Amino acid sequence: MTDLDSPQHNHLLNALPDAEYQRLLPHLERVEMPLGEVIYESGGELRYVYFPTTCIVSLLYVMENGASAEIAVVGNDGIIGVALFMGGGGMPNRAVVQSAGHAYRLRGQLLMQEFNRYEGMLHLLLRYTQALITQMAQTAVCNRHHSVDQQLCRWLLISLDRLPSNELTMTQELIANMLGVRREGVTEAAGKLQHAGLIHYSRGRITVLDRPGLEARVCECYRVVRAESDRLLPPPPTLT
Amino acid sequence: MTDLDSPQHNHLLNALPDAEYQRLLPHLERVEMPLGEVIYESGGELRYVYFPTTCIVSLLYVMENGASAEIAVVGNDGIIGVALFMGGGGMPNRAVVQSAGHAYRLRGQLLMQEFNRYEGMLHLLLRYTQALITQMAQTAVCNRHHSVDQQLCRWLLISLDRLPSNELTMTQELIANMLGVRREGVTEAAGKLQHAGLIHYSRGRITVLDRPGLEARVCECYRVVRAESDRLLPPPPTLT
DNA sequence: CCTGGTCTGTACGTTACCGCACACAAGCCT
DNA sequence: AGGCTTGTGTGCGGTAACGTACAGACCAGG
C-alpha cells in the first residue's frame, strides 16, 4: 500500500498542478507520526508544516487546570500549521497525533516561498483554512447543544473519514480527552452504540460495523462540516 | 464624536498605510447597522465586506431546530466577510447586528483587488482571520468547560472591548440566544453579577460598574483571545 | 389612568453530566 | 501459572442547566 503513503495521498498536495508538485517534492520529508506525539505546542514556533497521509492529528486546547478540548481534526485532507501562512507563527493550542501514521513535512520557509510566489498555493491553503474554520465553529456549536452520544458519533465519523480502514486504535480515555468529557461518559455512549450493533469495541480497538447507522444518529454538525469541506476543497485523489 | 465614526476607528482600516487607505477611502460607504439586521446569511453570497466602527456584529450558527449559538464577535477590531478573501464566498452561519451603530462597507470585488495587489492588505487580513480563529476555538472550549456565569462575564467583556462606553443595550433574551442558553440562565447569572455590584441591569440596558471585578471572574478563555488579538493585530488607533 | 406588551425574577421537577469508587476483564511479564 | 498494568463497565450522590410555568416590574399608548 505505498499508494496510501505517497505525498499525493494528502488531498492538498494532490490538488497542486504537476509542475508545482514537482517543485515541492524534493523538499517533502516523510516522517513517522507516533501516537501521542506533540507536533506543536501552544506558544511554540512553527518550523515545519505537516501534510498527513495516514495519520490523524488533533488540535486541542489544554486548559490551565489540565482539562482539554478538541478544536479540530486534521488528516490527509489538510495541513498542520496554518498559523504559519496566516502570519501568526503559532497558535494558543496543541497539535497531537491522535492516530499513528505518516506525514510529509516541509520547512516553513519553503512553504512561504511557494505561498508568496504561486497564487494557486495561496488560494488552496486559504480555502482549506476556511474549511478548518467551519470545523471549529461547528465544534463550538456541538459542544453547546449536543449530547455526548451525538458527539461521539460525530467524532467517530470525522476520524473514519480520514482513515483507510473501518478500524481505529483509540482508548475511551483518549476519546474522552478529545471530547472534553469524562471517560465514563464515553464508556456509556460507546456501550449504546455497541449494543445497537454499530460498532465493536475492545480494549482500544474500535471497529465500525455500520457506518450508515452512525450517520443516522449523528447531529447536523457533522454534515455541515462535511458539506463545507466538499464544497471548498478539491475531490480526494482518485486512488482505487 | 465624529472621531468614533470615521473609518479609522476601525482598527484594520487604521492599520493601512496612508496611500493604501486613501485609495480605499472613496469606495468606503458608511452604512447604518440597526439592531437585529442580518448582514449575511448561511449559504448566501457576499457582495460586500463590512468594517464596523461603532456597531458589534455576532457570527452565529442557527440550528435546524432554531436554537442558536454564537461563534464569534466582530466589532471595530475587525471585518465581516472573511469568507470572501478566504475563497469560499460564504459561510454556513449568520452575521447579525448585536449592537446598533455604523460600519463602512466595501464592494467585495474592490477588496479582492487590493487583496491581490497589495501584500500588506493580504497579511493584515490574514492575521485578523487568525485572531478570529482563536476566538472561535476558545468559544468551543468555553462552551465545553465553563459555567454560564463565566460565559456571561466573557461575553460582557468581549462586547465592552468593542464599545466606546460602559453601557450596552441588550436584553437577557438576546444574550441567551448568543450564548445558546436559556433566558432564565442569563437572568440568574446576571443577578449574581448585579448583586455583587459589578453591573447594573435594567430592561435591556446593562451598565458595567466594575470592569476589574468582571475580569476577576472571567475564565481564561477571555484572556487567551485578548492576548492573541493583541499579539496579532496592530494597536488600536490612538484616539483620545 | 388603566391596559397591554415587554422584560425580568422566581420556583419546581427533570435530565445530563460530573466526580468518585470500585469491580471486572484482558493482555503482558516473569 | 500468578501477578501487574491497562482498559472497560457500573453504581451512586451531587450539581448545573433545562423546560415549563407564572408572578412582578417597567414602559408606552389609548
Side-chain angles (χ1 to χ4, degrees):
Chain A
M1 288 292 235
T2 66
D3 243 354
L4 289 179
D5 214 0
S6 91
Q8 279 130 329
H9 190 241
N10 180 281
H11 299 185
L12 295 183
L13 290 176
N14 185 68
L16 293 173
D18 200 54
E20 181 64 17
Y21 177 67
Q22 293 303 331
R23 196 157 65 212
L24 242 47
L25 197 50
H27 304 107
L28 289 171
E29 179 190 356
R30 182 168 180 273
V31 286
E32 184 106 26
M33 304 285 271
L35 177 64
E37 176 121 320
V38 174
I39 306 305
Y40 69 73
E41 185 57 90
S42 171
E45 200 195 346
L46 288 169
R47 308 252 303 275
Y48 294 91
V49 293
Y50 293 76
F51 297 93
T53 51
T54 56
C55 67
I56 302 182
V57 174
S58 278
L59 273 38
L60 44 83
Y61 177 81
V62 182
M63 302 204 310
E64 288 162 4
N65 68 12
S68 60
E70 192 178 73
I71 301 304
V73 174
V74 182
N76 67 341
D77 59 323
I79 180 176
I80 321 281
V82 298
L84 195 83
F85 55 81
M86 294 303 282
M91 280 205 170
N93 50 49
R94 178 185 292 177
V96 47
V97 178
Q98 178 207 102
S99 177
H102 291 89
Y104 286 83
R105 74 176 186 186
L106 184 65
R107 293 206 78 91
Q109 233 176 340
L110 275 157
L111 181 81
M112 287 315 286
Q113 268 176 31
E114 296 304 317
F115 186 81
N116 291 321
R117 171 160 52 179
Y118 168 55
E119 269 216 334
M121 177 65 100
L122 181 148
H123 290 126
L124 180 66
L125 291 179
L126 291 192
R127 279 206 313 284
Y128 169 70
T129 303
Q130 189 182 333
L132 192 65
I133 286 175
T134 298
Q135 200 188 143
M136 291 179 177
Q138 222 55 34
T139 301
V141 172
C142 209
N143 282 351
R144 163 76 21 214
H145 289 290
H146 298 316
S147 67
V148 173
D149 290 35
Q150 291 174 303
Q151 292 184 47
L152 178 59
C153 287
R154 179 173 67 90
W155 194 89
L156 288 173
L157 286 170
I158 288 179
S159 298
L160 218 54
D161 285 343
R162 286 159 178 77
L163 285 175
S165 81
N166 63 335
E167 201 175 298
L168 35 163
T169 306
M170 181 80 349
T171 69
Q172 299 185 345
E173 176 82 37
L174 279 239
I175 297 181
N177 285 156
M178 301 295 163
L179 296 183
V181 300
R182 282 185 322 156
R183 197 265 312 159
E184 294 90 326
V186 175
T187 301
E188 215 167 324
K192 286 183 203 170
L193 295 182
Q194 178 151 4
H195 196 75
L198 304 181
I199 64 172
H200 175 71
Y201 215 115
S202 159
R203 290 187 78 70
R205 195 171 231 73
I206 311 173
T207 315
V208 175
L209 304 172
D210 178 5
R211 188 182 159 123
L214 283 180
E215 285 174 358
R217 293 194 171 218
V218 77
C219 52
E220 60 195 278
C221 299
Y222 171 69
R223 285 184 291 274
V224 169
V225 172
R226 184 64 191 269
E228 197 68 356
S229 290
D230 291 348
R231 183 176 81 84
L232 291 168
L233 297 171
T238 51
L239 299 175
T240 38
Chain B
M1 288 289 238
T2 66
D3 242 355
L4 289 179
D5 214 2
S6 90
Q8 280 132 328
H9 191 240
N10 178 282
H11 299 186
L12 295 182
L13 291 176
N14 185 69
L16 293 173
D18 200 54
E20 181 64 16
Y21 177 68
Q22 293 303 332
R23 195 155 66 210
L24 243 45
L25 196 51
H27 304 106
L28 289 171
E29 180 190 355
R30 182 168 180 274
V31 286
E32 184 105 26
M33 305 285 270
L35 178 63
E37 175 121 321
V38 174
I39 306 305
Y40 69 74
E41 184 56 271
S42 170
E45 201 194 344
L46 289 169
R47 309 250 302 276
Y48 293 91
V49 294
Y50 293 76
F51 296 92
T53 51
T54 56
C55 68
I56 302 183
V57 174
S58 277
L59 273 38
L60 45 83
Y61 177 81
V62 182
M63 302 204 309
E64 288 160 6
N65 68 12
S68 61
E70 193 177 75
I71 302 304
V73 175
V74 183
N76 68 342
D77 59 324
I79 180 175
I80 322 281
V82 298
L84 196 84
F85 55 81
M86 294 304 281
M91 278 205 173
N93 50 51
R94 179 185 291 176
V96 48
V97 177
Q98 179 207 103
S99 178
H102 291 89
Y104 286 83
R105 74 176 184 186
L106 185 63
R107 293 205 79 89
Q109 233 176 339
L110 276 157
L111 181 79
M112 288 313 287
Q113 268 175 33
E114 296 305 317
F115 186 81
N116 291 321
R117 173 161 49 180
Y118 168 55
E119 269 216 333
M121 177 66 99
L122 181 148
H123 289 128
L124 180 65
L125 291 178
L126 292 191
R127 278 205 315 280
Y128 170 70
T129 304
Q130 189 182 333
L132 192 66
I133 286 177
T134 298
Q135 199 187 145
M136 293 178 175
Q138 222 57 34
T139 301
V141 172
C142 209
N143 282 350
R144 162 75 24 213
H145 288 291
H146 298 316
S147 68
V148 173
D149 290 35
Q150 290 174 304
Q151 291 183 47
L152 177 61
C153 288
R154 179 173 66 91
W155 193 90
L156 288 173
L157 286 170
I158 287 178
S159 297
L160 218 55
D161 284 344
R162 288 159 180 75
L163 285 175
S165 81
N166 64 333
E167 199 174 300
L168 37 164
T169 305
M170 181 82 342
T171 69
Q172 298 185 347
E173 176 82 37
L174 279 241
I175 298 181
N177 286 156
M178 301 294 165
L179 297 184
V181 300
R182 282 184 322 155
R183 196 267 312 159
E184 293 90 331
V186 175
T187 300
E188 214 166 328
K192 287 184 203 170
L193 295 182
Q194 179 150 5
H195 196 75
L198 305 181
I199 63 173
H200 176 71
Y201 215 115
S202 159
R203 290 186 77 69
R205 195 170 232 72
I206 311 172
T207 315
V208 175
L209 304 173
D210 179 4
R211 190 185 156 121
L214 283 181
E215 285 174 357
R217 292 193 173 218
V218 76
C219 52
E220 60 193 275
C221 299
Y222 170 70
R223 283 183 291 274
V224 170
V225 173
R226 184 66 192 268
E228 196 68 355
S229 290
D230 290 349
R231 183 175 79 85
L232 291 167
L233 296 171
T238 50
L239 299 176
T240 37

